[in-house]
């Protein structure tokens, strides 16, 4: 029996913000008081199914992304799901190149964050209709079906459709074997939750011990404001976790190029595996210079969470500017743009270690990394996924980490649905928790600033 077509009848947006700045959760060298926030998109349909998508911000400005989603929604309302996904690359190209809205991009900034939220919701709706988690929807596609959702404009000089087809072709028995391994063992993870820049030393030490007891052996620490403070904090971490566990450090774009090189040479005694975002996220050649200078110290460069589109990733990879590719699930334009980034990284033999330091990012990147292992790389060597458990209690299907492993989700969709209680409490500025904080003088309605 032929199923009735699903038509998108409406698009809801929700400005969700969580007061993480009160405890300095998420704080780093440049973003000192973040309130982790989500632009939540809900696709209404002519059926019981809904699609949920999100992008991540850190407070002020989240309402701008919500407004941009509203500006884009005319591209989806009234369309059937099949009319979109049957020609998904064409649809995606039409959205990012909408003749007027692209002027405030193109394919970067607020308009691309809004695109990610909206297209993430379409992927969620598609997976829910098929009764599969997004990772399984992806790994079950044929090579041609996968290529047909990707847009190759501006990257065909590095990755052709023919190369992509070849990379995605896999023996069914091998695919099944890889999938069984992931279901049984999960995917390796590291934690950032012990090392926010605003945390005092004793809290860092206690959290490291807590995570170690739970089986974690890789820790990322924020650096970049003061060199003597960084030395002290990294000494605390290294003394606590011992010589054999891995440490990574993250400057969140704080330094100039020469400053980054000097600073990291000074911190090399603590043996960090990588320095993340050492300088401007747009400085391809600056990252290459840093990578070359730090290679003799065994320190790689990791970046990508603020790379604005697949063209930036192409150039970072071509220039040898990243040793670890940290694509973000909602900084670029959703899965349609993320898949070719994975393939380009595979071609350049650069491991993908997705950024997940934000609300709902754990939930989305787990799907992407499972796809990479099963259909592309077939390896976890040098690969790890960030895990930050803050705020996961507000999601209907939060990511599950057992010890230091992401366990593959089995619920249909892209794991982006927030609980109704979260919407009631944390919608800004009228949610009950924000009303309480504003009345108590602990927060203010920044929309009135």
């Amino acid at each position: 029996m032929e199923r009735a077509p699903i038509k998108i009848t409406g698009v809801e947006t929700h400005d969700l913000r969580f007061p993480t700045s009160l405890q300095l959760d998420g704080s780093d060298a440049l973003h000192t008081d973040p309130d982790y926030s989500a632009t939540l998109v809900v696709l209404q349909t002519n059926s019981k199914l809904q699609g949920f998508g999100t992008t991540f911000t850190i407070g002020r400005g989240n309402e701008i992304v919500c407004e941009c989603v509203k500006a884009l929604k005319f591209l989806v309302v009234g369309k059937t799901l099949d009319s979109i996904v049957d020609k998904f690359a064409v649809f995606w190209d039409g959205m990012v190149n909408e003749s007027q809205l692209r002027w405030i991009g193109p394919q970067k900034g607020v308009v691309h964050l809004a695109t990610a939220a909206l297209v993430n919701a379409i992927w969620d709706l598609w997976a829910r209709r098929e009764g599969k988690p997004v990772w399984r929807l992806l790994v079950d596609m044929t090579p041609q079906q996968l290529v047909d959702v990707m847009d190759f404009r501006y990257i065909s000089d590095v990755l052709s459709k023919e190369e992509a087809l070849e990379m995605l072709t896999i023996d069914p028995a091998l695919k099944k074997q890889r999938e069984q391994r992931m279901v049984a063992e999960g995917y390796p993870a590291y934690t950032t939750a012990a090392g926010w820049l605003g945390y005092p030393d004793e809290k860092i030490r206690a959290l490291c011990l807590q995570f170690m007891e739970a089986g974690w052996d890789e820790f990322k620490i924020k650096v970049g404001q003061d060199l003597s403070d960084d030395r002290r904090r990294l000494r605390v971490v290294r003394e606590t976790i011992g010589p054999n566990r891995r440490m990574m450090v993250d400057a969140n774009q704080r330094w100039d190029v020469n400053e980054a090189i000097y600073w990291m040479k000074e911190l090399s005694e603590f043996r960090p595996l990588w320095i993340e975002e050492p300088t401007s996220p747009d400085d391809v050649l600056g990252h290459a210079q840093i990578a070359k200078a730090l290679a003799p110290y065994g320190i790689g460069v990791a970046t990508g969470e603020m790379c604005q589109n697949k063209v930036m990733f192409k150039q970072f990879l071509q220039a040898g500017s990243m040793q670890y590719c940290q694509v973000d699930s909602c900084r670029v334009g959703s899965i349609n743009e993320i898949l070719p980034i994975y393939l380009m990284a595979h071609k350049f033999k650069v491991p993908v270690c997705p950024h997940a330091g934000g609300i709902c990012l754990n939930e989305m990147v787990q799907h992407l990394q499972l796809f990479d292992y099963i259909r592309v790389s077939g390896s976890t060597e040098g690969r790890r996924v960030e895990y930050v458990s803050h705020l996961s209690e507000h999601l209907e299907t939060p990511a599950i980490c057992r010890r230091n492993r992401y366990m593959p989700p089995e619920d249909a969709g892209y794991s982006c649905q927030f609980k109704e209680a979260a919407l009631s409490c944390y919608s800004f500025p009228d949610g009950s928790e924000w009303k309480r904080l504003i009345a108590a003088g602990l927060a203010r309605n920044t929309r009135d600033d």
Side-chain angles (χ1 to χ4, degrees):
M1 180 178 176
E2 188 174 343
R3 58 189 175 190
I6 293 175
K7 179 181 285 189
I8 298 169
T9 57
V11 176
E12 293 180 10
T13 61
H14 299 270
D15 180 352
L16 292 180
R17 306 189 196 185
F18 299 84
T20 49
S21 62
L22 296 178
Q23 302 297 325
L24 297 179
D25 298 334
S27 55
D28 63 55
L30 281 182
H31 312 96
T32 55
D33 60 345
D35 285 326
Y36 274 15
S37 303
T39 296
L40 174 63
V41 172
V42 183
L43 300 181
Q44 303 294 350
T45 72
N46 61 342
S47 72
K48 294 181 180 180
L49 285 178
Q50 296 175 304
F52 300 87
T54 188
T55 193
F56 171 66
T57 73
I58 59 169
R60 284 184 294 276
N62 198 50
E63 73 277 14
I64 302 172
V65 185
C66 290
E67 289 302 315
C68 199
V69 171
K70 295 174 186 177
L72 288 165
K73 71 179 184 179
F74 79 96
L75 295 167
V76 301
V77 173
K79 286 187 168 61
T80 64
L81 178 62
D82 284 333
S83 72
I84 293 172
V85 301
D86 286 352
K87 295 182 178 179
F88 214 157
V90 174
F91 169 84
W92 188 89
D93 182 72
M95 177 170 284
V96 300
N97 286 306
E98 199 283 323
S99 65
Q100 295 181 10
L101 286 170
R102 80 181 304 276
W103 195 259
I104 57 172
Q107 299 180 43
K108 60 175 70 76
V110 170
V111 71
H112 221 39
L113 291 171
T115 296
L118 196 49
V119 181
N120 283 340
I122 294 171
W123 278 96
D124 180 76
L125 179 62
W126 188 9
R128 287 172 184 270
R129 186 189 68 177
E130 301 304 319
K132 298 178 180 181
V134 159
W135 71 266
R136 199 181 295 277
L137 175 69
L138 290 169
V139 301
D140 286 350
M141 288 184 183
T142 67
Q144 188 63 57
Q145 286 172 326
L146 286 166
V147 168
D148 286 346
V149 306
M150 302 182 208
D151 180 69
F152 290 83
R153 191 198 294 251
Y154 308 136
I155 62 169
S156 61
D157 54 319
V158 165
L159 179 71
S160 68
K161 290 184 179 181
E162 292 72 25
E163 285 178 296
L165 281 168
E166 184 177 350
M167 289 182 192
L168 293 165
T169 299
I170 185 173
D171 178 80
L174 179 58
K175 171 178 165 290
K176 184 177 180 180
Q177 180 184 3
R178 291 177 179 177
E179 186 173 330
Q180 288 173 338
R181 181 189 173 193
M182 286 293 101
V183 170
E185 299 178 11
Y187 201 96
Y190 71 88
T191 182
T192 307
W196 301 118
L197 197 64
Y199 286 179
D201 293 356
E202 285 308 311
K203 183 170 184 176
I204 293 173
R205 183 180 288 109
L207 286 169
C208 286
L209 289 170
Q210 177 184 320
F211 278 105
M212 287 163 58
E213 187 177 348
W216 294 78
D217 55 13
E218 299 191 12
F219 300 83
K220 188 167 79 180
I221 310 300
K222 299 292 184 173
V223 297
Q225 278 191 342
D226 181 272
L227 183 54
S228 62
D229 284 349
D230 287 347
R231 284 198 189 99
R232 188 193 72 252
R233 294 169 69 255
L234 294 192
R235 185 169 288 109
V236 168
V237 174
R238 182 53 77 192
E239 289 174 353
T240 305
I241 69 175
N244 297 322
R245 291 183 176 87
R246 283 198 176 110
M247 179 199 299
M248 296 80 83
V249 296
D250 183 359
N252 289 94
Q253 314 152 44
R254 174 76 181 197
W255 303 316
D256 285 347
V257 171
N258 291 332
E259 186 181 19
I261 294 168
Y262 170 77
W263 206 295
M264 286 311 301
K265 286 180 179 179
E266 291 293 305
L267 297 180
S268 63
E269 64 177 291
F270 302 105
R271 297 185 294 109
L273 177 67
W274 73 51
I275 171 59
E276 184 171 331
E277 289 200 304
T279 191
S280 165
D282 299 331
D283 191 352
V284 176
L285 298 183
H287 277 80
Q289 187 178 340
I290 295 167
K292 183 178 180 180
L294 296 182
Y297 296 84
I299 302 172
V301 170
T303 194
E305 72 177 84
M306 284 202 175
C307 278
Q308 302 184 66
N309 51 55
K310 61 185 183 291
V311 178
M312 294 295 297
F313 279 96
K314 178 184 76 168
Q315 293 178 359
F316 270 93
L317 291 164
Q318 286 175 311
S321 302
M322 59 169 61
Q323 284 69 60
Y324 300 93
C325 174
Q326 294 184 308
V327 67
D328 184 282
S329 57
C330 51
R331 170 67 57 177
V332 297
S334 190
I335 294 172
N336 310 70
E337 187 169 22
I338 291 168
L339 296 186
I341 291 169
Y342 268 90
L343 296 184
M344 287 191 291
H346 183 65
K347 180 175 179 177
F348 283 91
K349 297 181 171 57
V350 172
V352 179
C353 302
H355 170 248
I359 187 166
C360 206
L361 301 188
N362 296 327
E363 284 65 34
M364 289 184 282
V365 299
Q366 61 183 339
H367 295 270
L368 306 174
Q369 206 70 356
L370 288 165
F371 162 79
D372 175 62
Y373 176 79
I374 296 168
R375 289 299 299 267
V376 183
S377 68
S379 173
T380 60
E381 185 67 29
R383 294 167 171 83
R384 50 199 50 82
V385 183
E386 186 172 23
Y387 180 73
V388 179
S389 59
H390 300 300
L391 308 175
S392 62
E393 68 272 16
H394 299 298
L395 292 158
E396 290 285 0
T397 54
I400 296 172
C401 262
R402 293 180 186 157
R403 295 181 68 84
N404 61 344
R405 297 264 173 166
Y406 275 91
M407 303 310 297
E410 289 300 328
D411 293 289
Y414 204 10
S415 310
C416 291
Q417 185 176 359
F418 284 82
K419 294 178 179 178
E420 285 298 322
L423 274 63
S424 176
C425 289
Y426 295 103
S427 291
F428 189 85
D430 297 322
S432 59
E433 183 61 10
W434 282 110
K435 285 183 176 179
R436 184 188 72 80
L437 290 170
I438 292 168
L442 296 173
R444 69 179 191 272
N445 183 357
T446 56
R447 292 190 182 181
D448 293 336
D449 289 352

